[in-house]
């Protein structure tokens, strides 16, 4: 199974039950608009609250955090697939 398929299946399986919205960003988002870009990971934008809800399901799917910063987390599957999460706080959008 391809890296992309693994990542998208894991995210879909985690997002639906948790009812967490996210946005596909990065190379795969560009590919949708027919802008070719080679990438070795899949990137999503999600809220801090949403990411907290997803972590248990992603762990269950075989992903572990390689590192986690305030606004960014990289998860790696035990087969090497990489998943990047850019985090936005709902509080950041308020003025």
């Amino acid at each position: 199974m391809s890296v992309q398929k693994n990542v998208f299946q894991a995210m879909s399986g985690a997002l639906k039950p948790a009812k967490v919205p996210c946005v596909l960003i990065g190379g795969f988002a560009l590919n949708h608009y027919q802008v070719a870009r080679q990438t070795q990971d899949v990137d999503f934008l999600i809220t801090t609250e949403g990411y907290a809800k997803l972590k248990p399901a992603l762990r269950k799917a075989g992903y572990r955090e390689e590192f986690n910063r305030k606004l960014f987390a990289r998860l790696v599957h035990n087969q090497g697939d990489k998943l990047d999460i850019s985090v936005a706080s709902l509080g950041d959008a308020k003025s």
Side-chain angles (χ1 to χ4, degrees), residues 26-69:
F28 280 96
L30 289 174
N31 289 341
H32 174 76
Y33 295 101
Q34 300 174 350
V35 176
R37 180 170 169 229
Q38 295 294 323
T39 185
Q40 296 183 4
D41 59 13
V42 181
D43 306 283
F44 291 94
L45 175 65
I46 194 165
T47 64
T48 305
E49 296 82 3
Y51 182 52
K53 290 180 183 178
L54 293 182
K55 278 191 211 184
L58 293 172
R59 272 191 226 109
K60 187 175 180 181
Y63 287 86
R64 65 173 172 75
E65 283 186 341
E66 186 173 67
F67 58 87
N68 186 342
R69 304 293 183 269

Side-chain angles (χ1 to χ4, degrees):
M1 188 177 293
S2 72
V3 170
Q4 299 87 359
K5 192 170 183 180
N6 287 337
V7 171
F8 288 118
Q9 284 182 340
M11 282 297 285
S12 177
L15 289 166
K16 285 180 183 179
K19 298 180 181 176
V20 172
C22 76
V23 177
L24 177 66
I25 59 175
F28 280 96
L30 289 174
N31 289 341
H32 174 76
Y33 295 101
Q34 300 174 350
V35 176
R37 180 170 169 229
Q38 295 294 323
T39 185
Q40 296 183 4
D41 59 13
V42 181
D43 306 283
F44 291 94
L45 175 65
I46 194 165
T47 64
T48 305
E49 296 82 3
Y51 182 52
K53 290 180 183 178
L54 293 182
K55 278 191 211 184
L58 293 172
R59 272 191 226 109
K60 187 175 180 181
Y63 287 86
R64 65 173 172 75
E65 283 186 341
E66 186 173 67
F67 58 87
N68 186 342
R69 304 293 183 269
K70 183 178 179 183
L71 300 176
F72 179 81
R74 161 144 308 149
L75 291 89
V76 178
H77 192 271
N78 54 25
Q79 295 178 348
D81 304 347
K82 294 179 182 175
L83 168 61
D84 290 344
I85 304 285
S86 294
V87 179
S89 170
L90 291 176
D92 294 343
K94 297 177 184 174
S95 40

